Amino acid sequence: MFLFVIFLDGLTDFSKTCPAPHNHTIRPILFWLANDLPPEILSHLKFSGCPDTAINSSFKLGSAAQTSIGLSGLAAAYILYLRTGNMQDVSVNARHAILDISSESWYTVDGQMPTKSMQDYLAGIYRTKDNSFVRLHTNFPHHRQGILNILQCDPTREAVQAALLQWNAKDFEDEAVKQKMCVSAYRSFEEWDKHPHAAALRGTPPGIRVLDLCRVLSGPVCGRALAAYGADVLLVTSPNLPDLPVLDIDTSRGKRTTQLDLTQASQHDRLKELVEDADVFLQAYRPSGLQEKGFGSQELARVRPGIVCANLTAYGWEGPWKHKRGFDSLVQTATGFNWAESEAFAKFNGQPVTDKPEPRALPVQALDHVAGSFLAFGIQAAIAKTITEGGSWEVRVSQALAAVAQWLRSLGQLPPDTAFGDGEPLPKRMIPPDSEVAASSVTLHEATGDKRDVEGRLRMMTAIRHAAQLSVTPVKDVEAPMGLNRHQPVWLPRA
């Protein structure tokens, strides 16, 4: 069967046509129309709050969050309209959207925040020999060990820093890429623009059964949104790969969870059987990773005609970095955001702007969350196409995190006084929670799952509720699996 493709592309070009100060309302219109969706539906999307002051950053994170979440919610409402003839409004508050794209910071289990940090003790920024910096991502044990193997040093921050002072930033990044480790050299926007991969990105336009084969943040956020809109989302992970339970517990909300070892013939076949009755196949592994196991888009369309195949990567499908490992924090560092945010903060404080300022990360992992919401929008736009036109569809947030970064940059920066003077900081992480967090939260029960292997008292979880509020069919916020292998690899009966 012919495989149609929806690209969530043109992310840079769309925003340039939007005149300030109204471009935060025009922007979703352009995305919606670019994907050939009916314009009359847009009147049902309602934005509130001021996105420019929703967070204390020089970048327009409030607009990015509100736009991407709003589009995903509106697409869900449109699918329901196609099936029932009833349309509803979708409302998104800018500040609530900011809390949503930092949801991993606010959840509690039985009234307690996680005791383990989300970030490994060796992860972060280090100075290098050429008076620059690199950012290391070592949250998975094999990534941490890989960095230590390159540096040949003890596993302490002091030893890692001393070893990195023997390396130039970009030389270490190149070596880490060769070793398939997760590192980004620190760059300004100007330096990123000269990079070959930046050139490869230029002009690239970022009742349902969902197989979710995603790890870490962007893809899981997409699957969580689809579950909130009513999909039966089956999260499939490998028992052979390390997990990040502090993140998984938040991003798996509303899903069912199972594990399959695709190196075992029987479990490989079980996944193929699940594909036969799936509506969406969502994956965020490296390009061609699952294709090598027989689960590429073309193969999936043959097994299940009419399926929507959704793909997400850090640096995309073309260019010299297409196989480079990447996470939100690394993409921020590589593409100039940490540099530009640092310069803006220095100007706000009346400090001189140095040739190479200390890196300053964005206050939230916006690239991950926004990419996940855009992917949820694209999936649902494709599902609408299967209803109105038929066919199998592939959805890409083209170039993924790097393209979302490119789009966010194209929105421009806010004046430093607006960004850091008027912009509202994130609430404090505390128990009991900040009143704003409490007002935006929902309580969920621990799901026992059909494996029934939960022992003892079931736990309770509080988490930021989904920021897109549908006026007729509220989002589903009932259960959380709180584990990666709670369910049998089977579908629920269709409603």
Side-chain angles (χ1 to χ4, degrees), residues 69 80 97 115 132 154 167 175 199 204 230 234 261 269 286 288 368 374-375 401 413 425 429 431 443 445 455 475:
I69 293 171
L80 192 63
T115 56
S132 186
D154 292 334
W167 287 82
E175 182 60 28
T204 52
L234 184 60
D261 181 355
D269 291 344
R286 63 180 175 80
S288 78
D368 265 333
F374 272 135
L375 191 58
L401 299 188
Q413 284 180 267
R429 299 184 73 238
I431 297 293
T443 299
H445 302 276
E455 297 180 358
V475 297

Side-chain angles (χ1 to χ4, degrees), residues 373-395:
S373 293
F374 272 135
L375 191 58
F377 162 60
I379 287 169
Q380 292 174 115
I383 291 170
K385 294 285 187 182
T386 68
I387 296 171
T388 60
E389 301 178 23
S392 301
W393 296 78
E394 182 175 5
V395 182

Side-chain angles (χ1 to χ4, degrees), residues 122 125-129 132-134 136 151 153-154 156-167:
L122 290 184
I125 289 286
Y126 293 84
R127 191 173 289 276
T128 53
K129 179 181 178 181
S132 186
F133 302 88
V134 291
L136 310 184
L151 294 176
C153 70
D154 292 334
T156 67
R157 290 191 66 89
E158 294 76 15
V160 169
Q161 177 60 88
L164 281 168
L165 288 174
Q166 309 305 311
W167 287 82

Side-chain angles (χ1 to χ4, degrees), residues 316-362:
W317 290 262
E318 305 295 336
W321 275 7
K322 65 181 179 181
H323 293 297
K324 178 176 166 62
R325 268 69 171 168
F327 297 92
D328 185 302
S329 57
L330 298 179
V331 176
Q332 284 187 37
T333 301
T335 59
F337 279 86
N338 292 172
W339 190 309
E341 185 84 326
S342 181
E343 287 184 335
F345 191 67
K347 290 176 183 177
F348 171 71
N349 287 307
Q351 299 171 346
V353 177
T354 63
D355 289 340
K356 188 162 285 189
E358 287 273 344
R360 181 181 176 85
L362 300 181

Side-chain angles (χ1 to χ4, degrees), residues 37-101:
L37 297 170
E40 63 272 16
I41 299 298
L42 284 160
S43 64
H44 294 274
L45 182 58
K46 314 292 184 183
F47 283 172
S48 64
C50 178
D52 287 353
T53 57
I55 185 67
N56 55 341
S57 171
S58 68
F59 291 95
K60 297 183 179 180
L61 305 181
S63 289
Q66 199 173 37
T67 296
S68 58
I69 293 171
L71 284 169
S72 72
L74 189 64
Y78 176 52
I79 291 171
L80 192 63
Y81 165 75
L82 290 175
R83 290 176 169 170
T84 67
N86 298 316
M87 191 59 204
Q88 59 188 305
D89 289 341
V90 177
S91 304
V92 184
N93 175 268
R95 180 63 172 179
H96 191 167
I98 286 294
L99 295 179
D100 196 342
I101 69 167

Side-chain angles (χ1 to χ4, degrees), residues 231-242:
D232 177 15
V233 179
L234 184 60
L235 174 60
V236 182
T237 55
S238 169
N240 302 322
L241 295 176

